[in-house]
Amino acid sequence: MNPQLFLAFLVVAGALACTPGVDWAYSIAAGLKQRSFVPAVAGLCGGYVLHTVLMVAGLAALLAGAPGVLGWLTVAGAAYLLWLGFGTIRSWRGATFGAGSAASAEGTTAGSPAGIPAAPAESNQFRTFLQGVGTSGINPKGLLFFVALVPQFVSPEASLPVPVQSALLGLTFVLLVAVVYTCVALLSRKLLHSRPGAARRVTLASGIIMVALGAVLLSEQLIPLAAGIAWQ
């Protein structure tokens, strides 16, 4: 792999990972509502692993080249973001770091022996993971990033085959977002640990961001469709 191209990719991918967006909003919201933010970050990374697999298999280019499929994928992603955002907005008053919330996040109940987690805790963590996969995996912007940007940093003259280079670049991006999103979630928890009021406001803002981005994605599909119908 060309070292100069790889360094350039690190700069571009790092800048994109550090740009606030729906992934940041989800990392912060999940971190504030639950004791561990690891399932949320792992889920977001899992979505980008899915994009990497699709890119290496050549399916990402096929999906991006099919306007109808990409349009429906955008609608699905927008609907998912709206659902996730409204759910976050509904729960914003519960974002706190009191002793009661810590015990609840651990999954213990009042009548349970100490140190024995209740079953809902594991299911909640798995649900958080799946929601993270959906947040980044259904996002068409992520798909287009892997289709349009990653190939620009692949060198056909390199000793490694093109699919291997693409996979390495994709996994490098996954590693970058894992580090960035972990830092975002960790810093937000540290800063808001003793400020439950601020935690609630940040959770509310995260939900609003998800709803706004979902509405933008949905409008990008519905406005041209409505305009086409109006001109007929």
Side-chain angles (χ1 to χ4, degrees):
M1 183 178 295
N2 189 315
Q4 293 181 339
L5 284 178
F6 184 69
L7 289 176
F9 176 79
L10 287 179
V11 173
V12 174
L16 290 175
C18 292
T19 302
V22 65
D23 290 353
W24 276 44
Y26 181 72
S27 299
I28 294 173
L32 292 178
K33 291 191 295 181
Q34 300 187 20
R35 183 176 181 84
S36 175
F37 53 79
V38 173
V41 175
L44 291 171
C45 293
Y48 288 119
V49 170
L50 176 62
H51 284 307
T52 301
V53 172
L54 291 176
M55 175 184 63
V56 173
L59 297 177
L62 292 176
L63 291 175
V69 175
L70 187 59
W72 281 111
L73 182 64
T74 302
V75 171
Y80 181 78
L81 285 178
L82 290 171
W83 173 77
L84 197 62
F86 282 121
T88 301
I89 292 174
R90 285 197 303 269
S91 64
W92 73 278
R93 293 185 181 275
T96 182
F97 290 97
S101 64
S104 174
E106 280 290 335
T108 58
T109 57
S112 301
I116 300 180
E122 294 183 0
S123 62
N124 286 340
Q125 290 185 348
F126 185 63
R127 183 176 61 182
T128 300
F129 171 80
L130 291 180
Q131 288 177 344
V133 173
T135 300
S136 58
I138 302 180
N139 188 353
K141 304 296 184 182
L143 177 65
L144 293 177
F145 163 76
F146 279 89
V147 172
L149 187 60
V150 172
Q152 307 302 319
F153 299 92
V154 173
S155 175
E157 294 80 16
S159 58
L160 294 176
V162 170
V164 176
Q165 294 183 62
S166 300
L168 289 176
L169 291 175
L171 294 178
T172 298
F173 181 74
V174 173
L175 180 60
L176 284 173
V177 298
V179 173
V180 172
Y181 296 164
T182 297
C183 292
V184 168
L186 185 61
L187 287 175
S188 64
R189 286 179 64 92
K190 291 293 184 182
L191 293 175
L192 301 174
H193 182 82
S194 58
R195 303 172 183 174
R200 296 187 187 99
R201 290 191 293 272
V202 170
T203 301
L204 177 61
S206 299
I208 292 175
I209 290 174
M210 294 179 193
V211 170
L213 290 176
V216 170
L217 288 174
L218 194 60
S219 65
E220 288 177 352
Q221 299 300 314
L222 295 182
I223 291 177
L225 179 60
I229 295 176
W231 280 101
Q232 291 180 355

